[in-house]
Amino acid sequence: MTTQAIRDLLAIRPFRRFKIRTVSGMEYPVTHPEALSISPGGRTVHVWTSKEGGATLDLLLVEAVTQDD
């Protein structure tokens, strides 16, 4: 998965929810464009799943990104 592919999904208007699935099978829903942060170096993303936190993911370990219908 590339940072640019994630940026492209975030830029779609109107925004469409999507899920990030890791090689371990975990899925992280991105419900709003502001619910995902990309690190300055572009290797990791943070998916905010609540106001208190979420998960930081290494893009090398992302298996797929799927959009909700």
Side-chain angles (χ1 to χ4, degrees), residues 19-69:
K19 292 178 187 167
I20 298 175
R21 186 175 64 237
T22 63
V23 294
S24 67
M26 295 292 296
E27 289 189 341
Y28 301 90
V30 179
T31 58
H32 190 275
E34 293 178 0
L36 186 132
S37 303
I38 300 172
S39 68
R43 180 164 175 188
T44 60
V45 296
H46 186 87
V47 180
W48 296 92
T49 55
S50 69
K51 290 181 181 180
E52 290 78 36
T56 300
L57 309 173
D58 186 326
L59 289 180
L60 295 175
L61 300 177
V62 171
E63 180 178 62
V65 175
T66 57
Q67 287 190 315
D68 291 346
D69 294 330

Side-chain angles (χ1 to χ4, degrees), residues 1-20 30 32-33 36 38 62 64-68:
M1 178 58 48
T2 66
T3 304
Q4 189 58 50
I6 297 287
R7 289 183 201 281
D8 291 345
L9 287 170
L10 292 173
I12 293 173
R13 295 295 181 259
F15 177 78
R16 292 181 57 203
R17 296 172 182 226
F18 60 93
K19 292 178 187 167
I20 298 175
V30 179
H32 190 275
L36 186 132
I38 300 172
V62 171
V65 175
T66 57
Q67 287 190 315
D68 291 346

